Amino acid sequence: MVSLRDVNQLVMERLVIIPTYNEKENIEAIITAVMELPIEFNVLVIDDGSPDGTAAIVKELMAGKFKNRVFLVERSGKLGLGTAYIAGFQWAIEHKVDYIFEMDADFSHNPQDLLKLYDACANQGADLAIGSRYVTGVNVVNWPMGRVLMSYFASKYVRTVLGVGIHDTTAGFVCYKRHTLETMELDKIRFKGYAFQIEMKYTAHQCGAKIIEVPIVFVNRVLGTSKMSGGIFSEALFGVIRLKISSWFRKYPKI
């Protein structure tokens, strides 16, 4: 197990944040896939008290073959996707990580595409790189057609209401430069569920971030249970209007 002192002495350029709840079928495989990439990525798992033993698997990897490259924050109960990522962002900022990634645990995001997101930020000047399902059409595999249409038109709706040129506003596969997150006033991010992704992108846009969408193929999970629900989409649809109105009364810091 890595002590806090040891963590503070580590130099981490790239950190992948993976929120988990009951992902024992996927967590070791997804971490291993990230560890095997040709350039070094570290992983921070934010586990919301998974009763299936997800955290125990992560601890074994931390103590064994991925010591000093895998880290874990355990939280008590399901506190929401947004708060999990905010906790991860704050951890990464505290530890001076240069490039900070969001990624799902279930292989819906291909770990190889982390290299594309990193390249967009490190070499193409992006402050925020988005792994986009919709920038070159609809690149989604094994989703029911109803869900594809709901997600696609939700992003269209968000683009229209918020006036941003982002094709995949609800994407959960992204890379931020540290200074982008430091500028965005994370304590003012309000949404916890699906709308969190929209709020983060809109805030980055309002702060003047250079945003690049990188085309990816999104593949529906094979193992484990999806956490998506109709209520999550409802939060996003109605939350967008609240987000737009609140922006009229807020002054955003600039990157």
Side-chain angles (χ1 to χ4, degrees):
M1 195 69 66
V2 182
S3 71
L4 182 59
R5 180 179 177 183
D6 290 336
V7 171
N8 288 334
Q9 292 174 346
L10 294 174
V11 177
M12 286 180 278
E13 183 178 3
R14 294 166 291 270
L15 181 72
V16 182
I17 302 171
I18 304 178
T20 56
Y21 183 77
N22 286 349
E23 291 288 356
K24 69 176 183 180
E25 296 96 341
N26 295 304
I27 193 61
E28 181 171 0
I30 195 71
I31 290 175
T32 300
V34 173
M35 295 294 105
E36 291 177 348
L37 291 171
I39 60 175
E40 182 173 302
F41 289 80
N42 295 285
V43 170
L44 173 64
V45 175
I46 312 290
D47 186 71
D48 273 5
S50 298
D52 72 344
T54 297
I57 296 171
V58 176
K59 289 175 182 176
E60 289 181 8
L61 297 175
M62 291 170 63
K65 57 183 177 179
F66 300 136
K67 185 177 181 180
N68 292 350
R69 292 188 63 193
V70 175
F71 308 95
L72 172 68
V73 172
E74 295 184 86
R75 309 197 305 169
S76 56
K78 297 179 71 175
L79 302 177
L81 179 71
T83 63
Y85 274 127
I86 293 295
F89 295 155
Q90 291 169 337
W91 193 100
I93 290 169
E94 178 184 349
H95 293 94
K96 307 295 184 184
V97 179
D98 295 321
Y99 301 93
I100 301 157
F101 301 77
E102 298 180 13
M103 189 173 74
D104 291 347
D106 60 7
F107 283 95
S108 55
H109 303 138
N110 184 345
Q112 291 289 331
D113 288 333
L114 289 167
L115 301 171
K116 298 179 185 178
L117 295 177
Y118 172 64
D119 179 69
C121 285
N123 300 316
Q124 299 176 44
D127 300 302
L128 164 60
I130 300 170
S132 178
R133 297 163 289 184
Y134 306 129
V135 71
T136 58
V138 179
N139 295 313
V140 177
V141 177
N142 292 337
W143 256 9
M145 183 55 66
R147 187 169 172 184
V148 172
L149 293 174
M150 185 180 293
S151 174
Y152 178 76
F153 285 109
S155 281
K156 287 271 192 182
Y157 165 79
V158 172
R159 288 183 69 193
T160 301
V161 174
L162 296 183
V164 296
I166 301 171
H167 293 82
D168 196 348
T169 53
T170 59
F173 191 31
V174 301
C175 174
Y176 293 93
K177 285 181 178 174
R178 185 177 74 237
H179 72 79
T180 307
L181 293 174
E182 290 173 331
T183 303
M184 286 172 59
E185 299 179 321
L186 295 177
D187 59 321
K188 294 184 179 180
I189 300 297
R190 294 289 174 258
F191 291 116
K192 297 181 179 180
Y194 200 59
F196 165 81
Q197 300 292 1
I198 299 169
E199 185 176 8
M200 287 293 294
K201 294 173 185 64
Y202 183 62
T203 301
H205 173 269
Q206 292 295 93
C207 290
K210 179 179 179 180
I211 300 172
I212 293 177
E213 289 190 82
V214 177
I216 65 160
V217 176
F218 180 95
V219 181
N220 194 28
R221 70 160 64 231
V222 175
L223 300 174
T225 303
S226 173
K227 315 305 186 294
M228 196 63 64
S229 69
I232 291 175
F233 277 102
S234 297
E235 179 201 37
L237 291 173
F238 294 111
V240 167
I241 298 173
R242 291 168 48 199
L243 185 59
K244 183 64 175 181
I245 293 172
S246 67
S247 73
W248 297 340
F249 306 98
R250 178 180 171 186
K251 184 176 180 178
Y252 293 84
K254 296 301 180 181
I255 294 172

Tab-separated table of all heavy atoms in Angstrom, residues 150-189:
chain	number	residue	atom	x	y	z
A	150	MET	N	-31.773	9.010	-28.272
A	150	MET	CA	-31.924	9.884	-27.116
A	150	MET	C	-30.631	10.636	-26.831
A	150	MET	O	-30.621	11.853	-26.596
A	150	MET	CB	-32.345	9.070	-25.882
A	150	MET	CG	-32.653	9.915	-24.658
A	150	MET	SD	-33.140	8.908	-23.235
A	150	MET	CE	-34.703	8.254	-23.815
A	151	SER	N	-29.507	9.916	-26.845
A	151	SER	CA	-28.224	10.536	-26.558
A	151	SER	C	-27.842	11.540	-27.647
A	151	SER	O	-27.393	12.659	-27.354
A	151	SER	CB	-27.140	9.455	-26.451
A	151	SER	OG	-25.862	10.036	-26.315
A	152	TYR	N	-28.042	11.159	-28.916
A	152	TYR	CA	-27.652	12.024	-30.036
A	152	TYR	C	-28.451	13.322	-30.021
A	152	TYR	O	-27.891	14.427	-30.126
A	152	TYR	CB	-27.869	11.283	-31.349
A	152	TYR	CG	-27.550	12.100	-32.580
A	152	TYR	CD1	-26.234	12.328	-32.961
A	152	TYR	CD2	-28.566	12.630	-33.369
A	152	TYR	CE1	-25.928	13.084	-34.081
A	152	TYR	CE2	-28.273	13.384	-34.492
A	152	TYR	CZ	-26.963	13.609	-34.840
A	152	TYR	OH	-26.666	14.352	-35.959
A	153	PHE	N	-29.764	13.213	-29.863
A	153	PHE	CA	-30.587	14.420	-29.904
A	153	PHE	C	-30.478	15.227	-28.614
A	153	PHE	O	-30.680	16.445	-28.626
A	153	PHE	CB	-32.035	14.061	-30.225
A	153	PHE	CG	-32.238	13.712	-31.676
A	153	PHE	CD1	-32.488	12.408	-32.069
A	153	PHE	CD2	-32.134	14.694	-32.655
A	153	PHE	CE1	-32.641	12.091	-33.409
A	153	PHE	CE2	-32.293	14.385	-33.999
A	153	PHE	CZ	-32.544	13.082	-34.377
A	154	ALA	N	-30.102	14.574	-27.518
A	154	ALA	CA	-29.822	15.326	-26.294
A	154	ALA	C	-28.628	16.242	-26.513
A	154	ALA	O	-28.644	17.416	-26.102
A	154	ALA	CB	-29.547	14.371	-25.130
A	155	SER	N	-27.598	15.737	-27.183
A	155	SER	CA	-26.435	16.570	-27.477
A	155	SER	C	-26.792	17.705	-28.434
A	155	SER	O	-26.314	18.839	-28.285
A	155	SER	CB	-25.298	15.724	-28.058
A	155	SER	OG	-24.606	15.032	-27.040
A	156	LYS	N	-27.647	17.423	-29.429
A	156	LYS	CA	-28.114	18.475	-30.340
A	156	LYS	C	-28.865	19.560	-29.561
A	156	LYS	O	-28.684	20.767	-29.792
A	156	LYS	CB	-29.039	17.862	-31.397
A	156	LYS	CG	-28.358	17.029	-32.441
A	156	LYS	CD	-27.917	17.897	-33.614
A	156	LYS	CE	-27.503	17.043	-34.805
A	156	LYS	NZ	-27.019	17.884	-35.929
A	157	TYR	N	-29.716	19.122	-28.656
A	157	TYR	CA	-30.505	20.046	-27.829
A	157	TYR	C	-29.587	20.930	-26.989
A	157	TYR	O	-29.771	22.152	-26.909
A	157	TYR	CB	-31.435	19.222	-26.945
A	157	TYR	CG	-32.069	19.951	-25.788
A	157	TYR	CD1	-33.167	20.787	-25.984
A	157	TYR	CD2	-31.588	19.781	-24.500
A	157	TYR	CE1	-33.759	21.446	-24.919
A	157	TYR	CE2	-32.173	20.428	-23.424
A	157	TYR	CZ	-33.250	21.261	-23.644
A	157	TYR	OH	-33.840	21.906	-22.579
A	158	VAL	N	-28.582	20.324	-26.374
A	158	VAL	CA	-27.648	21.076	-25.534
A	158	VAL	C	-26.889	22.099	-26.374
A	158	VAL	O	-26.709	23.255	-25.958
A	158	VAL	CB	-26.671	20.120	-24.824
A	158	VAL	CG1	-25.584	20.913	-24.103
A	158	VAL	CG2	-27.423	19.236	-23.839
A	159	ARG	N	-26.425	21.701	-27.547
A	159	ARG	CA	-25.708	22.630	-28.425
A	159	ARG	C	-26.569	23.842	-28.751
A	159	ARG	O	-26.090	24.986	-28.769
A	159	ARG	CB	-25.327	21.941	-29.742
A	159	ARG	CG	-24.226	20.916	-29.646
A	159	ARG	CD	-23.888	20.364	-31.017
A	159	ARG	NE	-23.248	21.380	-31.865
A	159	ARG	CZ	-23.081	21.251	-33.172
A	159	ARG	NH1	-23.525	20.166	-33.791
A	159	ARG	NH2	-22.481	22.190	-33.857
A	160	THR	N	-27.839	23.606	-29.002
A	160	THR	CA	-28.741	24.688	-29.385
A	160	THR	C	-29.005	25.629	-28.216
A	160	THR	O	-28.895	26.853	-28.339
A	160	THR	CB	-30.067	24.124	-29.896
A	160	THR	OG1	-29.816	23.268	-31.019
A	160	THR	CG2	-31.016	25.231	-30.314
A	161	VAL	N	-29.340	25.070	-27.052
A	161	VAL	CA	-29.702	25.889	-25.895
A	161	VAL	C	-28.503	26.665	-25.363
A	161	VAL	O	-28.597	27.855	-25.053
A	161	VAL	CB	-30.322	25.028	-24.786
A	161	VAL	CG1	-30.553	25.857	-23.525
A	161	VAL	CG2	-31.629	24.402	-25.256
A	162	LEU	N	-27.359	25.996	-25.280
A	162	LEU	CA	-26.189	26.631	-24.685
A	162	LEU	C	-25.357	27.401	-25.701
A	162	LEU	O	-24.503	28.218	-25.312
A	162	LEU	CB	-25.310	25.576	-24.001
A	162	LEU	CG	-25.929	24.855	-22.807
A	162	LEU	CD1	-24.925	23.889	-22.192
A	162	LEU	CD2	-26.424	25.841	-21.749
A	163	GLY	N	-25.573	27.162	-26.977
A	163	GLY	CA	-24.832	27.904	-27.987
A	163	GLY	C	-23.364	27.536	-28.047
A	163	GLY	O	-22.504	28.402	-28.224
A	164	VAL	N	-23.064	26.246	-27.895
A	164	VAL	CA	-21.680	25.787	-27.977
A	164	VAL	C	-21.532	24.893	-29.208
A	164	VAL	O	-22.472	24.226	-29.624
A	164	VAL	CB	-21.248	25.015	-26.709
A	164	VAL	CG1	-21.277	25.923	-25.490
A	164	VAL	CG2	-22.125	23.791	-26.475
A	165	GLY	N	-20.337	24.861	-29.765
A	165	GLY	CA	-20.107	24.085	-30.975
A	165	GLY	C	-19.590	22.687	-30.710
A	165	GLY	O	-18.825	22.146	-31.510
A	166	ILE	N	-20.004	22.086	-29.604
A	166	ILE	CA	-19.539	20.753	-29.220
A	166	ILE	C	-20.573	19.724	-29.668
A	166	ILE	O	-21.753	19.837	-29.319
A	166	ILE	CB	-19.314	20.667	-27.697
A	166	ILE	CG1	-18.277	21.701	-27.260
A	166	ILE	CG2	-18.891	19.257	-27.297
A	166	ILE	CD1	-18.154	21.846	-25.742
A	167	HIS	N	-20.133	18.720	-30.415
A	167	HIS	CA	-21.063	17.714	-30.928
A	167	HIS	C	-21.492	16.709	-29.855
A	167	HIS	O	-22.632	16.257	-29.842
A	167	HIS	CB	-20.431	16.959	-32.103
A	167	HIS	CG	-20.223	17.798	-33.313
A	167	HIS	ND1	-19.132	18.632	-33.464
A	167	HIS	CD2	-20.980	17.959	-34.438
A	167	HIS	CE1	-19.208	19.261	-34.621
A	167	HIS	NE2	-20.311	18.869	-35.241
A	168	ASP	N	-20.576	16.329	-28.978
A	168	ASP	CA	-20.883	15.312	-27.951
A	168	ASP	C	-20.780	15.955	-26.573
A	168	ASP	O	-19.800	15.789	-25.852
A	168	ASP	CB	-19.924	14.127	-28.077
A	168	ASP	CG	-20.423	12.903	-27.311
A	168	ASP	OD1	-21.373	13.045	-26.523
A	168	ASP	OD2	-19.851	11.819	-27.492
A	169	THR	N	-21.807	16.688	-26.207
A	169	THR	CA	-21.783	17.450	-24.954
A	169	THR	C	-21.918	16.570	-23.717
A	169	THR	O	-21.595	16.996	-22.610
A	169	THR	CB	-22.914	18.488	-24.940
A	169	THR	OG1	-24.159	17.828	-25.211
A	169	THR	CG2	-22.681	19.558	-25.985
A	170	THR	N	-22.394	15.352	-23.890
A	170	THR	CA	-22.577	14.458	-22.743
A	170	THR	C	-21.479	13.408	-22.627
A	170	THR	O	-21.577	12.483	-21.822
A	170	THR	CB	-23.947	13.744	-22.825
A	170	THR	OG1	-24.022	12.997	-24.046
A	170	THR	CG2	-25.091	14.758	-22.790
A	171	ALA	N	-20.421	13.545	-23.422
A	171	ALA	CA	-19.335	12.559	-23.413
A	171	ALA	C	-18.684	12.452	-22.037
A	171	ALA	O	-18.466	13.458	-21.361
A	171	ALA	CB	-18.287	12.935	-24.454
A	172	GLY	N	-18.335	11.226	-21.658
A	172	GLY	CA	-17.663	10.991	-20.390
A	172	GLY	C	-16.235	10.507	-20.547
A	172	GLY	O	-15.664	9.931	-19.619
A	173	PHE	N	-15.660	10.742	-21.731
A	173	PHE	CA	-14.291	10.315	-22.031
A	173	PHE	C	-13.529	11.545	-22.483
A	173	PHE	O	-13.647	11.982	-23.638
A	173	PHE	CB	-14.327	9.252	-23.129
A	173	PHE	CG	-13.026	8.527	-23.365
A	173	PHE	CD1	-12.114	8.310	-22.348
A	173	PHE	CD2	-12.732	8.027	-24.626
A	173	PHE	CE1	-10.926	7.628	-22.576
A	173	PHE	CE2	-11.562	7.333	-24.873
A	173	PHE	CZ	-10.654	7.139	-23.835
A	174	VAL	N	-12.770	12.143	-21.575
A	174	VAL	CA	-12.165	13.447	-21.859
A	174	VAL	C	-10.778	13.544	-21.229
A	174	VAL	O	-10.408	12.751	-20.362
A	174	VAL	CB	-13.037	14.608	-21.331
A	174	VAL	CG1	-14.428	14.590	-21.938
A	174	VAL	CG2	-13.122	14.578	-19.813
A	175	CYS	N	-10.038	14.576	-21.667
A	175	CYS	CA	-8.762	14.932	-21.051
A	175	CYS	C	-8.737	16.432	-20.789
A	175	CYS	O	-9.034	17.223	-21.694
A	175	CYS	CB	-7.602	14.540	-21.957
A	175	CYS	SG	-5.976	15.089	-21.352
A	176	TYR	N	-8.393	16.804	-19.573
A	176	TYR	CA	-8.214	18.209	-19.206
A	176	TYR	C	-6.736	18.470	-18.912
A	176	TYR	O	-6.074	17.642	-18.280
A	176	TYR	CB	-8.972	18.551	-17.924
A	176	TYR	CG	-10.469	18.506	-18.006
A	176	TYR	CD1	-11.169	17.344	-17.669
A	176	TYR	CD2	-11.202	19.628	-18.378
A	176	TYR	CE1	-12.553	17.303	-17.715
A	176	TYR	CE2	-12.584	19.593	-18.423
A	176	TYR	CZ	-13.255	18.432	-18.097
A	176	TYR	OH	-14.622	18.396	-18.139
A	177	LYS	N	-6.247	19.618	-19.347
A	177	LYS	CA	-5.004	20.103	-18.785
A	177	LYS	C	-5.289	20.606	-17.368
A	177	LYS	O	-6.380	21.106	-17.085
A	177	LYS	CB	-4.432	21.234	-19.629
A	177	LYS	CG	-3.791	20.786	-20.926
A	177	LYS	CD	-3.219	21.977	-21.683
A	177	LYS	CE	-2.519	21.530	-22.963
A	177	LYS	NZ	-2.089	22.689	-23.781
A	178	ARG	N	-4.288	20.488	-16.505
A	178	ARG	CA	-4.512	20.883	-15.108
A	178	ARG	C	-4.946	22.340	-14.989
A	178	ARG	O	-5.852	22.659	-14.218
A	178	ARG	CB	-3.256	20.640	-14.267
A	178	ARG	CG	-3.500	20.939	-12.781
A	178	ARG	CD	-2.281	20.641	-11.912
A	178	ARG	NE	-1.239	21.635	-12.072
A	178	ARG	CZ	0.015	21.372	-12.443
A	178	ARG	NH1	0.372	20.138	-12.721
A	178	ARG	NH2	0.912	22.331	-12.547
A	179	HIS	N	-4.328	23.230	-15.765
A	179	HIS	CA	-4.678	24.644	-15.619
A	179	HIS	C	-6.127	24.908	-16.010
A	179	HIS	O	-6.741	25.863	-15.525
A	179	HIS	CB	-3.727	25.524	-16.436
A	179	HIS	CG	-3.920	25.455	-17.926
A	179	HIS	ND1	-4.919	26.138	-18.579
A	179	HIS	CD2	-3.242	24.796	-18.885
A	179	HIS	CE1	-4.843	25.890	-19.874
A	179	HIS	NE2	-3.835	25.070	-20.082
A	180	THR	N	-6.694	24.069	-16.867
A	180	THR	CA	-8.104	24.214	-17.229
A	180	THR	C	-8.985	23.978	-16.010
A	180	THR	O	-9.872	24.782	-15.699
A	180	THR	CB	-8.472	23.233	-18.349
A	180	THR	OG1	-7.566	23.399	-19.437
A	180	THR	CG2	-9.890	23.460	-18.835
A	181	LEU	N	-8.752	22.879	-15.316
A	181	LEU	CA	-9.539	22.570	-14.117
A	181	LEU	C	-9.292	23.588	-13.015
A	181	LEU	O	-10.213	23.948	-12.276
A	181	LEU	CB	-9.202	21.166	-13.624
A	181	LEU	CG	-9.625	20.016	-14.540
A	181	LEU	CD1	-9.100	18.689	-14.012
A	181	LEU	CD2	-11.146	19.967	-14.682
A	182	GLU	N	-8.063	24.065	-12.899
A	182	GLU	CA	-7.755	25.056	-11.872
A	182	GLU	C	-8.500	26.362	-12.119
A	182	GLU	O	-8.842	27.084	-11.172
A	182	GLU	CB	-6.248	25.312	-11.821
A	182	GLU	CG	-5.444	24.151	-11.267
A	182	GLU	CD	-3.950	24.349	-11.378
A	182	GLU	OE1	-3.504	25.061	-12.317
A	182	GLU	OE2	-3.212	23.787	-10.553
A	183	THR	N	-8.778	26.667	-13.373
A	183	THR	CA	-9.464	27.908	-13.729
A	183	THR	C	-10.970	27.803	-13.552
A	183	THR	O	-11.649	28.808	-13.308
A	183	THR	CB	-9.155	28.280	-15.197
A	183	THR	OG1	-7.747	28.391	-15.366
A	183	THR	CG2	-9.808	29.594	-15.601
A	184	MET	N	-11.528	26.614	-13.634
A	184	MET	CA	-12.972	26.439	-13.797
A	184	MET	C	-13.803	26.582	-12.519
A	184	MET	O	-15.021	26.447	-12.581
A	184	MET	CB	-13.246	25.062	-14.435
A	184	MET	CG	-12.905	25.000	-15.906
A	184	MET	SD	-13.005	23.337	-16.600
A	184	MET	CE	-14.711	22.904	-16.264
A	185	GLU	N	-13.180	26.859	-11.398
A	185	GLU	CA	-13.921	27.018	-10.133
A	185	GLU	C	-14.809	25.790	-9.864
A	185	GLU	O	-16.032	25.847	-9.893
A	185	GLU	CB	-14.755	28.292	-10.150
A	185	GLU	CG	-13.931	29.560	-10.321
A	185	GLU	CD	-14.775	30.823	-10.367
A	185	GLU	OE1	-15.860	30.801	-10.972
A	185	GLU	OE2	-14.337	31.843	-9.789
A	186	LEU	N	-14.148	24.673	-9.595
A	186	LEU	CA	-14.844	23.394	-9.439
A	186	LEU	C	-15.858	23.408	-8.295
A	186	LEU	O	-16.825	22.642	-8.312
A	186	LEU	CB	-13.824	22.277	-9.222
A	186	LEU	CG	-12.879	21.999	-10.398
A	186	LEU	CD1	-11.866	20.931	-10.023
A	186	LEU	CD2	-13.658	21.593	-11.647
A	187	ASP	N	-15.656	24.281	-7.311
A	187	ASP	CA	-16.600	24.359	-6.198
A	187	ASP	C	-17.959	24.909	-6.627
A	187	ASP	O	-18.945	24.795	-5.885
A	187	ASP	CB	-16.024	25.213	-5.068
A	187	ASP	CG	-15.701	26.631	-5.505
A	187	ASP	OD1	-15.216	26.821	-6.637
A	187	ASP	OD2	-15.953	27.566	-4.719
A	188	LYS	N	-18.043	25.468	-7.840
A	188	LYS	CA	-19.308	26.003	-8.338
A	188	LYS	C	-20.034	25.036	-9.275
A	188	LYS	O	-21.119	25.354	-9.775
A	188	LYS	CB	-19.066	27.338	-9.051
A	188	LYS	CG	-18.582	28.441	-8.116
A	188	LYS	CD	-18.455	29.775	-8.832
A	188	LYS	CE	-17.990	30.862	-7.857
A	188	LYS	NZ	-17.853	32.172	-8.540
A	189	ILE	N	-19.445	23.865	-9.530
A	189	ILE	CA	-20.111	22.848	-10.344
A	189	ILE	C	-21.216	22.222	-9.503
A	189	ILE	O	-20.979	21.730	-8.406
A	189	ILE	CB	-19.117	21.770	-10.820
A	189	ILE	CG1	-18.003	22.409	-11.673
A	189	ILE	CG2	-19.840	20.679	-11.603
A	189	ILE	CD1	-18.474	23.050	-12.958
